[in-house]
Amino acid sequence: MTSTSTDAPSVTPALPQIVQIVAGEQQVPAETLELVLEDPFRGETLAAAAASDAASVERALAAADEAYVGGTWSGLAPEARADILDRIGAALEPQLGELAALESFATGVPVRQTSVVGVIVPGAFHLAAQMLRSGALLDEVEGADGASVEVHHLPLGPALCLVPWNAPAPMAAHKVASALAAGCPTILKPSEYAPYATTVLGQTVAAVLAEAGAHPGVFQLLQGGPGVGGTLVNDPRIRAVSFTGGHVGGSAIAAACAASYTALQLELGGNNALVVLDDADPEDAARAAVDLLTTLNGQWCRALGRLVLPESLADDVLERVVGRLAELRTGDPLDQETDLGPIVHSVHLARLRAELDRLAAAGGRAYASTTVPEDGTFLAPTLVRGVDSKDAVDEIFGPVATVHTYETDDEAVALANGTPYGLEGYVFGGDTDRALAVARRVRAGEVKVNGSSIMSLHLMTPRPAWGISGMGDEGTLETIRFFTGARVVGVEGSFALHGR
């Protein structure tokens, strides 16, 4: 029987005042949006989302451009920038508990998960510092005659970091740390749905940079929705945009960046397949399916989208999944005992319910067993069986996935690849060599065999995106270098080609 974690009253964390940081000044944004922020657990409305006005956006762009032209940040030795990044990481470490609570309150993700993912926040700055010290911005190529050619990775110019609402502080930390490490003046615009933790993060970053004597345009924070984001991405002074979010937003940003040939990194959605082979342990497969369906309340781009099962195991695996879903403890995301929290906002919940209605109309049968509280924006995790693959092409972005069955490995691969997305894939099987062979055929940037962790396979491997899941690899080194352009310098030697 599902239990709820509502026995003890929840204590709302102290919500910070939402501010913008422009040219070194912190101010309450002058405008508001139609969107009203909510407490997703209680289902209560809070206040209208804040937005920076046009004058503030222009001041931020001018300050970032001035900082870039002045070159005081990019002109620092990499080791000096590394020291400042380490100081930012150290300043963020005591704030981990506060950041995790703010993330849980705003997004509904259980604090047990935001606390684990939250270690990325200071870690991103320490890791970027480590990469600078290890020579991430300089390569040397040895010529046949002993002469060397230097490849300098130099900042492209003012950078814009756009982060989504599902894990805003960790994603902001990764992008901002990478852009600052590259030497770029950086503007951060978080999602209007979850501005709390990113505001605290931004204040800490700005404070440390100010103490270090950095130009006030080196880091700035703007608030708002698509209007503010659209103004920023359309401005030619922005030379690099890193965006994590949905396909529709990514397409609009790509079109805007094309006009000025602005460098673009997109991590968009995924309709990720979990392929269960006929020699897999059904219990392991069921555990993985539930993990992928419920981590971050199913609201993450690498969540389960398609559960691909062999006909011989389908009923067994589904029965085990339903059993596990029934055991989930739901309720207050700030309770350490909670396994599943509410959906981020009533607007998104309405979208998910509409998607369930669409799948039902397409012939789907729902499998759900989790009891959820009546208050708040809760949705029971649901698998839908009986829908044709062609009716389950798009990302849902919630605790909802479709089930498809197959007879041969070729059919399984075709089902896994039956969407235009290509972000993540999962393969479970008893014979590791066979599972790896299937995994190598899945069209996705990363494919995990017999694993379902939210973390990447390796800290130093890239995080690619295929198809409409994005462009421009993310990663520890890859994101730093995304914000740079290469300059090749050397004395011409005998290895150069002449007479062309």
Side-chain angles (χ1 to χ4, degrees), residues 270-273 304-308 355 358-364 383-397 400-405 414-421 443 468:
N271 191 356
N272 313 294
L304 178 63
R306 294 179 158 212
L307 180 56
V308 181
E355 186 63 19
R358 185 190 69 81
L359 292 172
L383 291 176
V384 182
R385 186 177 185 181
V387 177
D388 193 279
S389 176
K390 64 178 174 53
D391 293 321
V393 169
D394 294 324
E395 179 187 45
I396 296 176
F397 209 74
V400 178
T402 54
V403 180
H404 309 275
T405 57
L415 286 167
N417 294 339
T419 82
Y421 295 92
R443 191 185 65 241
I468 65 170

Side-chain angles (χ1 to χ4, degrees), residues 250-323:
S251 295
I253 290 169
C257 288
S260 297
Y261 298 99
T262 303
L264 181 60
Q265 181 184 63
L266 298 174
E267 184 183 39
L268 307 177
N271 191 356
N272 313 294
L274 166 57
V275 176
V276 179
L277 300 179
D278 57 16
D279 64 345
D281 183 317
E283 190 62 23
D284 286 346
R287 174 192 53 76
V290 172
D291 286 348
L292 293 170
L293 191 64
T294 60
T295 297
L296 302 188
N297 299 336
Q299 300 169 125
W300 56 304
C301 56
R302 299 172 191 271
L304 178 63
R306 294 179 158 212
L307 180 56
V308 181
L309 300 173
E311 288 283 359
S312 60
L313 292 181
D315 291 341
D316 187 8
V317 172
L318 279 176
E319 182 178 350
R320 292 170 187 268
V321 169
V322 170

Side-chain angles (χ1 to χ4, degrees), residues 89-415:
L92 287 166
E93 285 164 4
Q95 298 176 307
L96 281 179
E98 176 188 9
L99 293 172
L102 290 172
E103 296 271 89
S104 291
F105 174 82
T107 66
V109 174
V111 72
R112 197 170 66 231
Q113 294 179 29
T114 60
S115 296
V116 172
V117 178
V119 300
I120 294 172
V121 175
F125 289 92
H126 291 312
L127 189 56
Q130 178 183 328
M131 297 304 296
L132 287 181
R133 295 190 181 101
S134 64
L137 301 182
L138 176 64
D139 295 324
E140 290 194 61
V141 180
E142 191 76 19
D145 59 359
S148 65
V149 173
E150 302 167 349
V151 182
H152 298 265
H153 300 276
L154 304 172
L156 289 170
L160 174 62
C161 299
L162 301 169
V163 299
W165 48 257
N166 59 336
M171 293 191 200
H174 167 66
K175 293 180 188 293
V176 169
S178 299
L180 292 176
C184 293
T186 303
I187 296 174
L188 169 65
K189 194 204 80 67
S191 167
E192 64 274 27
Y193 281 87
Y196 305 114
T198 44
T199 292
V200 174
L201 167 68
Q203 288 173 318
T204 301
V205 173
V208 174
L209 287 169
E211 291 172 2
H215 186 286
V218 168
F219 173 79
Q220 299 174 95
L221 172 69
L222 291 172
Q223 306 286 355
V228 172
T231 300
L232 291 167
V233 299
N234 277 287
D235 195 287
R237 287 169 289 189
I238 295 293
R239 299 312 308 149
V241 175
S242 179
F243 171 76
T244 298
H247 171 63
V248 173
S251 295
I253 290 169
C257 288
S260 297
Y261 298 99
T262 303
L264 181 60
Q265 181 184 63
L266 298 174
E267 184 183 39
L268 307 177
N271 191 356
N272 313 294
L274 166 57
V275 176
V276 179
L277 300 179
D278 57 16
D279 64 345
D281 183 317
E283 190 62 23
D284 286 346
R287 174 192 53 76
V290 172
D291 286 348
L292 293 170
L293 191 64
T294 60
T295 297
L296 302 188
N297 299 336
Q299 300 169 125
W300 56 304
C301 56
R302 299 172 191 271
L304 178 63
R306 294 179 158 212
L307 180 56
V308 181
L309 300 173
E311 288 283 359
S312 60
L313 292 181
D315 291 341
D316 187 8
V317 172
L318 279 176
E319 182 178 350
R320 292 170 187 268
V321 169
V322 170
R324 282 180 169 271
L325 290 176
E327 297 172 354
L328 293 177
R329 186 175 173 89
T330 64
D332 182 2
L334 291 168
D335 187 332
Q336 287 285 348
E337 299 301 315
T338 295
D339 299 314
L340 182 78
I343 299 302
V344 65
H345 196 278
S346 60
V347 170
H348 190 53
L349 177 62
R351 294 191 190 110
L352 295 177
R353 285 177 172 162
E355 186 63 19
L356 280 170
D357 290 342
R358 185 190 69 81
L359 292 172
R365 175 188 173 191
Y367 291 75
S369 58
T370 309
T371 302
V372 296
E374 294 182 2
D375 296 329
T377 54
F378 286 86
L379 181 69
T382 306
L383 291 176
V384 182
R385 186 177 185 181
V387 177
D388 193 279
S389 176
K390 64 178 174 53
D391 293 321
V393 169
D394 294 324
E395 179 187 45
I396 296 176
F397 209 74
V400 178
T402 54
V403 180
H404 309 275
T405 57
Y406 70 91
E407 293 285 356
T408 68
D409 288 1
D410 286 347
E411 291 174 1
V413 171
L415 286 167

